Amino acid sequence: MPFFDQLAAPDAVRRFIEAEYLDAEKAVVEQYPVLLSDDAAAFLEKLAIAAKETPGAQAFLSNKRRLLERCREVGIDAAFEEQEIATSEDALTDAVAELITADSADELRQVLTEHPELLDGGDAVLVRISQDMSDYGADRIDALRTLLRRAKENGVEAALHDYQRVTGDMDDDTEVVGQFLSAATPQEEARMLEEHPALRSREVLRQLDAMIQALDSTAASLDKESKEFATRLK
């Protein structure tokens, strides 16, 4: 931020402000005990007030100051452990928000692939969110909770197909299966298998088996009718 480039801050405070990650912040605090002094707290408070015209800067500095306050109150290790938990919870909440707003099987698959932490911690966040939802929204949350549980137990692809059956959202996969069956070359089939992992799922294989059995049954019935017709012509 341009504001920070203009600071005439003591070296310890500057290093702490510029540290981007918790490990780096903790290392600076351990290296410079002066950061836990009243003078450092007062200095950061003045910086926060001076930064009020810079978007985001005041909140950023206030958060830094609060972290140092917790270090003074409970110790450096405990304060940073609290901060790490809070940061993880924020990231998990953001991932749950992506899950809720996903509006297709492909988007759900992408969110679950990018955020495997949802399988362990997502349910608790969804429970908290559901308390403020309407009945319709609560039904959606319940379906997503089931999706997470089954993904953890049976894998993402199996869970997605169960989710689609329950919610009635099977159009995407049905269309993709049709496109795969219409592929004209092995190269096109390979491309579709790469772009649509759902085609390799057990559910799609069961669908294909059912289609083959239906075609076999139809072919057998037609063969029988043809033979009966030929017999009548004799």
Side-chain angles (χ1 to χ4, degrees):
M1 296 179 182
F3 172 82
F4 296 122
D5 295 337
Q6 302 170 17
L7 288 178
D11 186 57
V13 176
R14 176 179 284 278
R15 285 173 180 264
F16 180 65
I17 289 173
E18 292 178 347
E20 296 184 7
Y21 303 104
L22 286 177
D23 288 346
E25 288 179 325
K26 185 177 181 182
V28 173
V29 174
E30 291 174 335
Q31 183 179 358
Y32 296 98
V34 68
L35 287 169
L36 305 184
S37 67
D38 292 337
D39 288 342
F43 189 80
L44 275 171
E45 185 174 2
K46 290 178 181 178
L47 289 181
I49 294 172
K52 63 181 180 180
E53 300 300 330
T54 303
Q58 188 172 41
F60 174 81
L61 288 167
S62 295
N63 289 336
K64 292 274 189 177
R65 182 172 59 82
R66 280 195 292 270
L67 177 56
L68 291 180
E69 287 178 356
R70 288 300 291 163
C71 288
R72 296 174 65 178
E73 293 168 357
V74 301
I76 295 174
D77 288 338
F80 276 90
E81 184 176 350
E82 290 176 355
Q83 187 67 18
E84 185 174 359
I85 292 172
T87 301
S88 298
E89 289 179 348
D90 289 343
L92 185 60
T93 300
D94 290 342
V96 168
E98 291 184 36
L99 188 72
I100 292 174
T101 57
D103 58 6
S104 71
D106 284 341
E107 289 186 11
L108 286 170
R109 182 181 293 107
Q110 181 177 349
V111 173
L112 291 172
T113 301
E114 293 179 353
H115 301 284
E117 67 273 15
L118 284 169
L119 303 189
D120 291 318
D123 184 73
V125 179
L126 286 170
V127 169
R128 292 200 299 269
I129 292 174
S130 67
Q131 296 172 355
D132 299 322
M133 301 287 281
S134 64
D135 290 341
Y136 172 79
D139 289 343
R140 163 78 167 167
I141 296 299
D142 287 343
L144 290 174
R145 292 183 63 199
T146 301
L147 171 66
L148 292 181
R149 184 175 67 253
R150 291 180 176 169
K152 186 174 182 178
E153 295 171 351
N154 305 319
V156 171
E157 292 303 328
L160 279 172
H161 282 287
D162 288 342
Y163 175 84
Q164 288 175 293
R165 279 202 303 271
V166 171
T167 60
D169 183 19
M170 295 294 289
D171 293 340
D172 289 347
D173 281 351
T174 301
E175 181 179 351
V176 169
V177 170
Q179 293 173 356
F180 177 73
L181 294 175
S182 301
T185 65
Q187 292 79 7
E188 189 176 351
E189 290 176 340
R191 178 185 61 78
M192 291 201 65
L193 287 170
E194 180 68 25
E195 293 178 356
H196 302 283
L199 287 170
R200 303 193 294 271
S201 68
R202 288 191 297 268
E203 179 63 26
V204 167
L205 292 177
R206 284 195 291 267
Q207 290 180 20
L208 290 173
D209 285 340
M211 293 172 65
I212 292 170
Q213 291 174 8
L215 289 172
D216 287 344
S217 176
T218 300
S221 177
L222 289 173
D223 183 60
K224 180 180 178 182
E225 291 179 4
S226 297
K227 290 179 179 179
E228 291 177 349
F229 182 70
T231 300
R232 289 197 297 272
L233 290 178
K234 292 179 179 180

